[in-house]
Amino acid sequence: QNMEYTELNEQEIIRRESLKSLKELGIEPYPAEAYDVNITCRQVREQYNDELKNLQDVKVAGRIMTRRIMGAAAFIELMDETGRIQIYIKRDEICPGEDKTLYNTVFKKLLDIGDIIGISGYAFITQAGELSIHAKELKLLSKSLRVLPIVKEKDGQVYDAFTDPEQRYRMRYVDLIVNPQVRETFMKRSKIMNTMRNFFNDHGYLEVETPILQAIPGGATARPFITHHNALDIPLYLRIANELYLKRLIVGGYTGVYEFAKDFRNEGMDRTHNPEFTVLEIYVAYKDYFWMMNFVEEMIEKVALALHGKTQVTLGDKEIEFAKPYRRLPMLDAIKEYAGVDVTGMNEDQLREVCKTLKITVDNTMGYGKLIDAIFGEYCEHHLIQPTFITDYPVETSPLTKRHRSNPELTERFELFVNGKELANAYSELNDPIDQLERFRDQVKLKDKGDDEAMFIDMDFVRALEYGMPPTSGMGIGIDRLTMFMTNSPSIQDVLFFPQMRPEKTDNQQQNQQ
């Protein structure tokens, strides 16, 4: 009998016993029929008028979060998605006949904090002045078999808070129940994406979907995840970007296309990187990167206003101003400004010497572009707190970007930096198929030198460009990072419902280690 209970704690055993008792009383702990909720806790608070004595027939449902039983009456706090409200339960109201089992046994002994119930009744103000619902009927909708970590406050001190990040991210469902501000972050995330979507749709651009499983992972420099397709007996990759497919659609004749994409990169995890992440990519024909800078700053200003009603956003101990326009700073000028070195016109060997002088670790796999990138990363990025467009990147690190109209060593590319981190990446897209093939071949040489992030050659994409792609500007922006900035979240795990975690250790594994 007790075998199944061996790993349960005392409280969990008691709850399973309560479950059995409920069934013996003929009460279904997980009923199948719908419960017709007609109002939320927030709506009761917003709509009730004590003079009018309105809301006399309400049905709410949610979790029991606290309860106080005083003989033949009790108060519970019920929580739904919108917040909490007090429920007043009187034994003789919910058990009008002789049989008081529902109150004396079921409610007082067999229901627990965390159980989900439905209440029908009417709104009123208690003698203590608190808006409440007077219950006429109570129905159990789902029995909870585990104990919630209920947060208690006493003399300004918080006890038993569910704050351990490892547990919070692993058991997000518990985190969402007991930390309502977490629910708020994810509602804001949804609002960010909807604001962007509306902004693009208002411009007449088309939302599209492109493959996640790709035969050639393209559109970015990153290490891919690889899998195997049994029927075709070929390797497939999870996409690292959706760029090359979206540009094929521009070749096909659409003026503007965009996609909110899940991308996957088989790389390290830290406070700002998760192996799967969400990126918005958009491509618009007949535009260049100057147009795209204006477009991006207008979009981000709109997102800040939609979320906060203002363009200033607090991020840690800083105030970020998202109102347009943003500073535009060429990459080589940034290096001159922050590293104190003018690298204009230098070749690879000279750059290597500069890196040594600046005490930057470099290796032989790094070409001109990666050396510039290393100096920029070490000396410039952390200074870029307010939104700044860094422009005009080296050709080598931008294999899909048009060469700069006045300097063929550079490209028409920008990255938007906020709080020392890259937020968006955009180009005047390379639409010269001959140049594109050369750039892909240069990437293969980098791969041969040992750069495992260098790109594969995608000959079908080159073929698409040979049919002719109009001049186009494209942009990608990390939704997870944008959400971090807009919600003042220090870690990417705070803005992903279910971030990637190390496997949970079982009791056996822990014993083996000991």
Side-chain angles (χ1 to χ4, degrees):
Q1 169 62 37
N2 278 336
M3 278 301 286
E4 70 209 69
Y5 290 172
T6 49
E7 292 187 12
L8 302 175
N9 64 36
E10 185 188 359
Q11 281 290 323
E12 289 165 351
I13 292 169
I14 291 168
R15 288 191 177 213
R16 276 168 166 72
E17 297 295 354
S18 299
L19 182 74
K20 210 165 78 180
S21 304
L22 285 165
K23 287 179 174 172
E24 284 164 1
L25 286 166
I27 292 171
E28 172 50 63
Y30 306 105
E33 63 273 13
Y35 189 81
D36 293 324
V37 175
N38 64 12
I39 200 161
T40 66
C41 294
R42 182 189 292 149
Q43 286 168 332
V44 173
R45 284 198 302 276
E46 288 171 352
Q47 295 173 19
Y48 181 65
N49 182 321
D50 201 40
E51 286 175 13
L52 297 176
K53 296 281 187 285
N54 59 337
L55 304 187
Q56 295 303 290
D57 182 16
V58 298
K59 284 183 92 170
V60 293
R63 270 181 208 278
I64 301 172
M65 295 307 282
T66 62
R67 58 187 195 157
R68 291 193 324 277
I69 296 174
M70 303 164 301
F75 287 100
I76 65 173
E77 205 173 16
L78 188 82
M79 181 176 79
D80 69 7
E81 186 187 27
T82 66
R84 300 184 180 202
I85 198 150
Q86 180 169 277
I87 311 288
Y88 172 62
I89 294 175
K90 201 171 167 188
R91 183 188 64 196
D92 296 339
E93 287 266 342
I94 63 165
C95 307
E98 292 297 307
D99 183 359
K100 307 295 181 191
T101 312
L102 179 64
Y103 184 83
N104 293 340
T105 305
V106 175
F107 176 69
K108 282 170 76 170
K109 295 177 184 164
L110 301 180
L111 290 195
D112 294 286
I113 287 174
D115 289 354
I116 296 171
I117 58 170
I119 294 285
S120 63
Y122 57 90
F124 78 112
I125 306 280
T126 63
Q127 287 174 330
E130 183 161 357
L131 173 62
S132 304
I133 294 173
H134 187 126
K136 291 194 286 198
E137 279 182 349
L138 177 154
K139 182 172 173 64
L140 175 61
L141 302 176
S142 183
K143 178 82 189 129
S144 169
L145 299 182
R146 286 191 182 250
V147 183
L148 280 177
I150 291 300
V151 181
K152 301 184 188 74
E153 278 191 57
K154 191 178 178 189
D155 306 327
Q157 290 285 92
V158 175
Y159 299 93
D160 300 335
F162 191 60
T163 54
D164 173 33
E166 169 86 6
Q167 277 196 301
R168 285 184 49 232
Y169 304 146
R170 204 179 285 287
M171 296 194 287
R172 181 67 85 191
Y173 37 91
V174 179
D175 189 29
L176 291 166
I177 295 167
V178 300
N179 293 320
Q181 74 282 3
V182 174
R183 285 210 299 275
E184 194 60 36
T185 296
F186 288 98
M187 287 159 89
K188 284 178 177 167
R189 182 185 170 108
S190 177
K191 192 166 192 178
I192 288 168
M193 292 172 77
N194 283 326
T195 303
M196 292 167 72
R197 190 172 261 123
N198 292 337
F199 181 64
F200 303 144
N201 291 345
D202 290 346
H203 278 78
Y205 305 144
L206 181 70
E207 183 167 11
V208 298
E209 292 175 281
T210 62
I212 291 173
L213 279 176
Q214 302 183 346
I216 297 172
T221 50
R223 218 196 283 163
F225 285 91
I226 185 165
T227 184
H228 186 78
H229 190 293
N230 291 340
L232 295 176
D233 193 24
I234 55 167
L236 286 176
Y237 300 88
L238 292 178
R239 71 174 164 208
I240 53 176
N242 49 349
E243 172 164 346
L244 302 187
Y245 283 94
L246 292 174
K247 289 203 271 202
R248 285 169 169 95
L249 297 180
I250 297 291
V251 171
Y254 292 106
T255 301
V257 290
Y258 71 92
E259 181 176 17
F260 287 95
K262 270 287 171 108
D263 289 348
F264 305 83
R265 297 185 183 176
N266 200 352
E267 295 163 352
M269 291 167 19
D270 59 29
R271 290 168 74 82
T272 56
H273 295 90
N274 194 64
E276 62 174 285
F277 55 100
T278 306
V279 176
L280 170 280
E281 288 200 32
I282 181 163
Y283 293 81
V284 185
Y286 310 111
K287 307 295 185 193
D288 63 10
Y289 78 145
F290 292 116
W291 176 88
M292 187 59 84
M293 283 186 237
N294 298 335
F295 185 77
V296 167
E297 62 193 6
E298 187 183 343
M299 175 189 79
I300 291 178
E301 182 182 83
K302 271 193 160 52
V303 167
L305 287 168
L307 243 59
H308 303 286
K310 56 181 187 174
T311 55
Q312 301 81 29
V313 175
T314 303
L315 196 50
D317 56 359
K318 305 182 188 85
E319 186 88 355
I320 308 292
E321 175 55 83
F322 282 113
K324 61 183 186 194
Y326 305 157
R327 185 182 184 198
R328 289 149 164 75
L329 179 62
M331 187 178 238
L332 300 187
D333 291 2
I335 288 173
K336 194 171 174 180
E337 184 174 327
Y338 296 114
V341 183
D342 188 352
V343 296
T344 314
M346 284 191 182
N347 63 26
E348 198 174 307
D349 294 337
Q350 290 169 310
L351 276 181
R352 241 175 247 290
E353 286 307 311
V354 169
C355 288
K356 275 184 199 155
T357 312
L358 295 174
K359 297 185 171 49
I360 296 171
T361 313
V362 293
D363 62 55
N364 292 333
T365 70
M366 295 167 75
Y368 174 85
K370 282 221 164 177
L371 294 168
I372 292 277
D373 204 42
I375 300 169
F376 177 78
E378 195 76 30
Y379 279 85
C380 308
E381 280 186 16
H382 60 278
H383 292 290
L384 307 173
I385 302 304
Q386 295 303 326
T388 306
F389 290 120
I390 296 292
T391 67
D392 307 347
Y393 280 57
V395 169
E396 192 186 57
T397 54
S398 315
L400 301 167
T401 315
K402 232 178 203 174
R403 287 177 195 269
H404 198 280
R405 58 196 77 177
S406 57
N407 180 351
E409 296 301 303
L410 301 176
T411 59
E412 299 210 345
R413 173 183 175 188
F414 72 78
E415 287 187 313
L416 173 61
F417 281 83
V418 177
N419 200 31
K421 299 266 182 248
E422 176 219 331
L423 176 59
N425 185 18
Y427 317 147
S428 295
E429 300 297 334
L430 179 55
N431 60 344
D432 174 343
I434 292 164
D435 191 2
Q436 181 64 81
L437 185 55
E438 277 307 305
R439 304 267 203 103
F440 275 148
R441 286 180 174 145
D442 290 343
Q443 289 286 305
V444 170
K445 288 175 197 160
L446 289 176
K447 231 181 189 32
D448 294 342
K449 270 172 86 173
D451 184 346
D452 62 2
E453 290 186 345
M455 287 189 190
F456 291 60
I457 293 189
D458 185 338
M459 289 309 295
D460 177 68
F461 176 65
V462 174
R463 178 170 59 189
L465 291 185
E466 287 171 352
Y467 279 94
M469 183 173 88
T472 297
S473 185
M475 184 272 296
I477 185 165
I479 298 299
D480 309 316
R481 200 165 281 180
L482 179 60
T483 306
M484 287 169 68
F485 292 157
M486 289 291 173
T487 60
N488 194 12
S489 301
S491 170
I492 193 171
Q493 283 94 342
D494 292 324
V495 300
L496 299 173
F497 272 131
F498 304 106
Q500 193 62 50
M501 305 290 286
R502 292 179 193 285
E504 203 168 356
K505 282 183 184 159
T506 63
D507 291 344
N508 291 343
Q509 285 173 317
Q510 283 164 344
Q511 282 162 7
N512 291 343
Q513 284 185 343
Q514 289 160 7

